[in-house]
Structures are given as structure tokens and as C-alpha cells.
Amino acid sequence: FASNMGQVDCVDARKGHYVDAEGATKERECEAGTYASALGSRECVAANAGFFVDEKGADGQTACTAGEFSEGTGNEECSRCPAGTFSKAASPSCTSCDAGE
């Protein structure tokens, strides 16, 4: 992108930001639930299941901790596993405890 008149080069979008159009004059910040880990990104990537991104402008995703989960993609937070279930870190779901456990 080129935000000023008379620039001699275009500038790559910063990590956590993207530029999705030719002739752009500014970069755009990734929304919560998404991230851009590389310079010069054309789009933001949705957080994977078992991960979350809780702030705008993120350059990476964070794994849910053990005992938590996040289903689907683009999560902004993780949920606690309900009673009678458990999960390991970065889990997309909780698992029921077996009989005898």
C-alpha cells in the first residue's frame, strides 16, 4: 500500500494487518477471531478449532488450555468443558469421562 503521495515504493502490510485491494492507501487490521502472521498479507486467517484470537490486529493464535475447548474456526475465546468431561490443550471438543473414572 502507499499511504502518502510521492512514495517511491509500496509498503507491506504489517503482521496482524492486511491489504486486499490493488491501489490501496492503507492497511486494515485483522478482526478478533482472525490473524495475519506474515508481512504483506492479503487476508486474515480464522483461528483454528482448539485455538482463539481475542484481540484485533493479532499476528498469531493462542491454544485453548487443558479443560477448555473451541469448536469451529474464528473463535474469540475458549469455553470450559462441562462437568463429566475433560480436554487436553488445543482441543476442539471435550471428551466424556468413562465409567469408573
Side-chain angles (χ1 to χ4, degrees):
F1 70 99
S3 58
N4 299 309
M5 293 176 52
Q7 280 188 222
V8 296
D9 284 315
C10 290
V11 178
D12 285 336
R14 296 174 291 162
K15 292 180 179 182
H17 297 74
Y18 69 102
V19 175
D20 62 352
E22 256 184 60
T25 58
K26 63 181 180 178
E27 63 186 1
R28 298 170 71 181
E29 190 173 50
C30 293
E31 294 294 324
T34 68
Y35 67 98
S37 60
L39 294 172
S41 293
R42 293 181 180 194
E43 62 185 4
C44 299
V45 178
N48 294 328
F51 293 79
F52 71 99
V53 178
D54 63 353
E55 59 186 11
K56 287 182 161 187
D59 62 4
Q61 59 185 345
T62 304
C64 295
T65 59
E68 296 183 330
F69 72 103
S70 66
E71 296 178 309
T73 60
N75 292 295
E76 296 179 26
E77 62 184 9
C78 298
S79 300
R80 292 178 65 183
C81 289
T85 68
F86 71 97
S87 73
K88 297 188 188 251
S91 291
S93 61
C94 300
T95 302
S96 293
C97 297
D98 289 331
E101 294 184 321

